Amino acid sequence: MALSKKYFQDHFVLLLLSINAFLAIAGSLFVILRLSSSEGSGYIVQYREALGVNAFKTGSVTDLLGFIAFALLVLAVHTVLSHRAYSIHRQLAIAILTLGILILILTIIVSNALLTLR
């Protein structure tokens, strides 16, 4: 109980948790808004450079909704991992949350690139 209290009273950890939550929600809203404002049903969901002319693979909306599930999964997993690692070492918990920020930023970049290609 005392560990949980220390974890949620650490200001830097709370800042990183807030950034993670903001990026996950912003990325999810970004994908939803881009999907709702589009016309057509064919979305580019993969790019395979080795295939040459057929490098772009099309898919449905559910393939792109996977980005939302991934962002929320990253948020949940990194929060739980950092909470458990806080008892081992504070800097380890901070590193886990920072890597979560990096993954969420890359998720937003990739989803934007795929939605722009449509």
Side-chain angles (χ1 to χ4, degrees):
M1 187 67 161
L3 177 64
S4 180
K5 187 176 180 182
K6 283 184 182 180
Y7 180 76
F8 289 112
Q9 288 180 349
D10 191 344
H11 294 290
F12 193 62
V13 169
L14 286 178
L15 174 69
L16 293 176
L17 282 173
S18 299
I19 293 171
N20 273 324
F22 174 76
L23 288 174
I25 292 170
S28 299
L29 287 175
F30 177 74
V31 170
I32 289 172
L33 292 175
R34 292 285 300 256
L35 287 176
S36 67
S37 66
S38 63
E39 298 87 22
S41 60
Y43 296 97
I44 295 174
V45 294
Q46 291 182 14
Y47 174 72
R48 304 288 182 184
E49 185 177 338
L51 294 179
V53 177
N54 297 327
F56 297 108
K57 298 294 180 184
T58 58
S60 64
V61 175
T62 56
D63 295 328
L64 290 172
L65 290 178
F67 281 106
I68 296 171
F70 180 73
L72 297 176
L73 183 69
V74 166
L75 175 64
V77 168
H78 281 87
T79 301
V80 170
L81 282 177
S82 70
H83 186 270
R84 289 186 179 184
Y86 193 81
S87 64
I88 298 170
H89 208 272
R90 178 181 179 265
Q91 279 77 23
L92 179 60
I94 290 173
I96 291 170
L97 289 173
T98 306
L99 289 174
I101 292 172
L102 175 66
I103 291 173
L104 288 171
I105 289 172
L106 290 174
T107 302
I108 293 171
I109 291 170
V110 170
S111 65
N112 181 39
L114 287 175
L115 286 169
T116 306
L117 288 174
R118 173 179 51 81

